[in-house]
Amino acid sequence: MTLSRFNVRTDSKVYPVIIGQDIIDRIGDLIDGSIGRGFIVTDNVISEIYLDSLIQGLKSSGIETVTKVLQAGESFKTLESVKVLYDFLANELASRSDTLIAFGGGVIGDIAGFVASTFKRGMNLVHVPTTLLAQVDSAVGGKTGVNLSEGKNLVGTFYQPNAVIADVCTLKSLPLDDFVAGLAEVIKYGVIMDHEFFQFLIDNKDEILLRNPELISAIVERALRNKAQIVEEDEREEKGRREILNFGHTVGHAIEICSNHTILHGQAVAIGMVEEARIAVRMGKLDSSILETLIYSLSLFGLSTKIPSGIDVSQLSVIMKQDKKVRNGQLTIPILVGLGKTRMMVVDSVNNLNLVRRNGDDKQC
Ligand code: NAD
Ligand code: GLY
């Protein structure tokens, strides 16, 4: 069993990140110490494919489990799902020394993380991410939360897990669109802070798209080491450092909502990165050749780089006003100042972002 392992050292918790191949059915061996009972939270897609292996992997180490299966999809990232999980935990008499195991993509991770952080004022949490996006981003760093109809992730907490265990072989069954959407977050690390990684991704494009497990393991590890470095410096996004991870997300979140979540998070972030890089060019902070490189690189991996024509651009500004980064009507976002270099800057009033509408498909707002 080939494993990579490193610790994330935050002020609130130090925890291991373990990345490997075919490790789900041996997962109990990888969890240190006693975790009590395992309360698995997953969705109806993942449960069909991998749930038996996970349960077996825990059972073989003597860990008793109970499972709750939620409906898959962003539209279920709601307070209603949170309530379903509270009821489940309460009915099963879960205690603080038991462990909630978030088994799925970013949606399951965000809901389960929120529940773990609030049920009985906090129970143990282990993330077992199964999408590329969750493996390279959402499982590490402690952001949890759910959406309200008024906006994405408007309710949430910071709550670090006790461990993150990523089996890259689960990515084999991930639909192509979800895999490619996850690549947007991978490319993001290259763009905002790791120029060498950016070049590595371009150079290995074909093998990445073939999901070569050795290469994917290496990419997940590099992405997460980048993320861990930022989270260790600024766990709660208070020091102006962690916000750079939100590059592309201000516009991206608005696109997700405007499309009624028919555009995947990572895909929306790809378009958002292009639009936010365009803002940097307009501000005179970024050379337009880098914007072109970004567009070319995202397209290489099959990511769309244009706001779909059916999205009402004025509606995007309305949605962005709800963004957590707006203060007194002004928006402070990560501005790309070079490949691998980002600074936080006030850009403008959210009413005046001049987002570019492009012809594309016909998603409606
Ligand atoms: P997702 O969780 O909806 O998963 C995408 C789809 O893939 C789902 O239908 C799921 O059932 C299916 N799936 C998952 N694993 C699979 C597998 N191995 N094989 C086959 N199908 C599989 O989407 P996502 O892209 O993982 O996550 C998006 C969410 O993550 C958004 O809500 C976003 O806000 C959140 N997010 C959170 C953070 C954070 O720091 N907390 C960071 C980035 C994104
Ligand atoms: N995905 C952005 C963050 O974790 O801060």
Side-chain angles (χ1 to χ4, degrees):
M1 167 159 58
T2 319
L3 292 178
S4 316
R5 186 183 176 121
F6 65 93
N7 284 337
V8 182
R9 298 175 183 283
T10 68
D11 293 340
S12 68
K13 231 175 249 173
V14 176
Y15 56 94
V17 171
I18 300 168
I19 302 156
Q21 297 170 35
D22 290 320
I23 55 176
I24 291 288
D25 55 7
R26 280 169 275 180
I27 196 162
D29 300 339
L30 302 174
I31 296 177
D32 295 334
S34 162
I35 68 161
R37 278 193 296 164
F39 287 83
I40 301 170
V41 176
T42 189
D43 74 32
N44 59 307
V45 176
I46 303 146
S47 62
E48 288 291 316
I49 322 176
Y50 300 111
L51 183 58
D52 289 347
S53 299
L54 182 76
I55 291 174
Q56 201 46 49
L58 292 162
K59 195 175 167 190
S60 60
S61 294
I63 300 166
E64 194 191 316
T65 60
V66 200
T67 302
K68 188 74 190 174
V69 179
L70 300 176
Q71 286 296 303
E74 183 75 31
S75 57
F76 292 95
K77 198 172 127 176
T78 58
L79 287 169
E80 286 73 32
S81 296
V82 169
K83 170 81 168 59
V84 166
L85 294 183
Y86 287 154
D87 289 345
F88 161 63
L89 294 170
N91 288 329
E92 292 289 344
L93 305 177
S95 78
R96 297 181 67 178
S97 53
D98 291 328
T99 299
L100 205 154
I101 300 172
F103 186 42
V107 167
I108 287 295
D110 281 8
I111 305 170
F114 181 73
V115 168
S117 70
T118 46
F119 185 75
K120 296 195 174 171
R121 300 205 176 86
M123 60 189 291
N124 297 325
L125 171 68
V126 171
H127 280 297
V128 185
T130 62
T131 62
L132 182 59
L133 181 135
Q135 293 190 355
V136 299
D137 188 1
S138 59
V140 164
K143 281 190 182 176
T144 81
V146 293
N147 305 328
L148 300 182
S149 55
E150 292 84 356
K152 242 185 95 67
N153 300 332
L154 288 186
V155 177
T157 55
F158 285 98
Y159 193 69
Q160 302 297 339
N162 300 71
V164 177
I165 302 174
D167 184 339
V168 296
C169 289
T170 59
L171 302 181
K172 283 182 201 152
S173 55
L174 197 61
L176 180 63
D177 283 353
D178 287 289
F179 183 74
V180 169
L183 285 173
E185 295 280 6
V186 175
I187 295 167
K188 181 192 75 180
Y189 293 108
V191 175
I192 61 170
M193 64 187 290
D194 189 349
H195 187 179
E196 194 184 288
F197 186 39
F198 181 80
Q199 195 54 51
F200 177 86
L201 296 170
I202 307 288
D203 294 344
N204 291 281
K205 179 205 76 152
D206 292 337
E207 283 298 299
I208 292 170
L209 288 172
L210 287 172
R211 308 185 201 185
N212 171 327
E214 294 293 330
L215 198 55
I216 299 297
S217 292
I219 285 170
V220 170
E221 182 179 353
R222 177 80 168 238
L224 285 185
R225 282 186 184 273
N226 274 318
K227 178 154 188 182
Q229 181 195 323
I230 300 279
V231 170
E232 286 171 359
E233 286 172 39
D234 185 11
E235 179 181 359
R236 295 176 66 91
E237 214 167 78
E238 290 164 338
K239 300 177 186 164
R241 184 71 177 131
R242 182 160 180 175
E243 282 106 324
I244 70 164
L245 296 174
N246 296 329
F247 177 58
H249 284 60
T250 304
V251 176
H253 278 171
I255 291 173
E256 271 183 277
I257 291 170
C258 219
S259 76
N260 210 10
H261 302 294
T262 56
I263 299 182
L264 297 176
H265 175 79
Q267 176 57 78
V269 166
I271 301 169
M273 286 196 282
V274 171
E275 288 303 325
E276 292 179 21
R278 211 185 290 286
I279 292 169
V281 172
R282 275 204 305 276
M283 289 168 75
K285 305 291 179 192
L286 185 70
D287 195 288
S288 60
S289 65
I290 294 178
L291 170 64
E292 294 312 319
T293 303
L294 175 63
I295 293 172
Y296 168 75
S297 314
L298 293 167
S299 315
L300 263 188
F301 288 95
L303 284 155
S304 171
T305 57
K306 297 171 180 175
I307 298 177
S309 61
I311 297 263
D312 177 350
V313 175
S314 61
Q315 190 63 23
L316 291 182
S317 302
V318 173
I319 294 168
M320 282 189 280
K321 281 185 187 162
Q322 280 282 350
D323 196 286
K324 294 186 281 302
K325 294 173 281 298
V326 174
R327 303 267 194 285
N328 303 323
Q330 282 198 311
L331 189 60
T332 304
I333 60 169
I335 287 293
L336 202 60
V337 294
L339 250 187
K341 291 191 197 121
T342 322
R343 306 269 179 278
M344 294 305 296
M345 289 184 202
V346 174
V347 289
D348 207 341
S349 148
V350 282
N351 292 324
N352 195 22
L353 287 176
N354 294 321
L355 299 176
V356 177
R357 178 203 280 273
R358 296 298 174 108
N359 290 329
D361 52 42
D362 57 354
K363 298 279 173 349
Q364 297 301 314
C365 189

